[in-house]
Amino acid sequence: MPEMENPPPPLLSIITVTYKDPDGLMRTLASLSRTRTGITFPWEQVVVDSSPQENAKTLAEFSGAWSLTHIPQEPRGIYPAMNTGWRAAKGQILWFLNGGDEAFSGEALVGACGLLETNHSVELVSGGATLLRNGHVLYDQPPRAGLLPMLGINRVCQQQLLYRRSLLERLGGFSEEYRIAADYEFHLRAVHAGARQKTCNSVLVRFDRGGISSNISRSFEEFARIHRSLREKGQLKYGFMHIFVRSLELFRIRFLRILDDLGIGIYLRKIWHSFRRSIRK
């Protein structure tokens, strides 16, 4: 009997973290089912699941459709789960597509991965994202690269980014000290470490902002802790600008919430989202 050939190792590992959201996991898996025909290289998915009983039926529906590793894990937060995922992954390119996020197209993903394949010094690639709120399209967010989108607060949608695995290994992955903004802390460390970035104009992901934490005080508290910690370690560029922009953004958000209470904010947001959509056409 001839020996069976070993399958080639995956180039791309898609890491999905999920907790008590079987509907969100279903959307993610269904999006991969739609787009996988456009992916022309070996790939795998690693699902780190902190509610395996709730997700059993959803995962069974896609069993065998592609290479999928299911890792049950006690709920310890998103960043411990993301660290578990990338450490278990076999691919040299990593994409964190968490439960509820949707892949946009296989062709766009192939193009973005190609930038890492052909440029060995590049460690991060950013693509575009279609942003939604509660299922309704807001606008397309362009690729975000460099320090500017991270001044003061996090404006980088992590689902827009492809990572070279060696960057996670070099920097030790995501800090588990933070519960909301450890991806922001990692990206600031990556900039300080000189990680080279490229952008592609294709939309990679549909990302719903409806689930983003409304606890603004807690988010900004973490931003401040991150800035303070990295500044003390000598790993934060333009520390004063971070403090200034962070304070300005906190004032802006609180002012908008006052307008919301007055019933004005919703109309201003509609105008802003319409403007963002129009400039992307």
Side-chain angles (χ1 to χ4, degrees), residues 148-224:
L148 187 60
M150 294 185 288
L151 274 178
I153 67 171
N154 190 18
R155 299 179 187 84
V156 177
C157 167
Q158 116 197 339
Q159 297 88 338
Q160 292 176 257
L161 296 173
L162 298 181
Y163 302 76
R164 193 178 295 280
R165 180 191 179 89
S166 58
L167 177 64
L168 276 293
E169 293 173 338
R170 180 158 68 96
L171 299 184
F174 300 99
S175 170
E176 298 183 10
E177 180 180 350
Y178 307 103
R179 295 188 62 83
I180 297 173
D183 53 335
Y184 176 60
E185 192 265 356
F186 178 85
H187 297 147
L188 286 175
R189 283 192 287 126
V191 168
H192 181 266
R196 190 178 169 206
Q197 303 178 54
K198 275 190 171 292
T199 61
C200 69
N201 291 324
S202 300
V203 172
L204 294 181
V205 65
R206 288 168 58 91
F207 172 58
D208 199 310
R209 297 174 60 89
I212 290 179
S213 172
S214 60
N215 192 333
I216 297 300
S217 296
R218 186 174 172 188
S219 298
F220 274 79
E221 179 188 350
E222 281 208 0
F223 295 149

Side-chain angles (χ1 to χ4, degrees), residues 7 9 17 21 40 44 49-50 61 76 96 108 115 127 144 151 171 178 180 186 196-197 211 235 256 266 271 273:
V17 169
D21 185 16
T40 56
E44 66 168 356
D49 183 3
S50 296
E61 185 170 334
R76 295 189 291 114
F96 294 94
L115 293 175
R144 300 291 185 95
L151 274 178
L171 299 184
Y178 307 103
I180 297 173
F186 178 85
R196 190 178 169 206
Q197 303 178 54
Q235 297 179 337
L256 285 174
I266 187 171
I271 294 170
H273 294 155

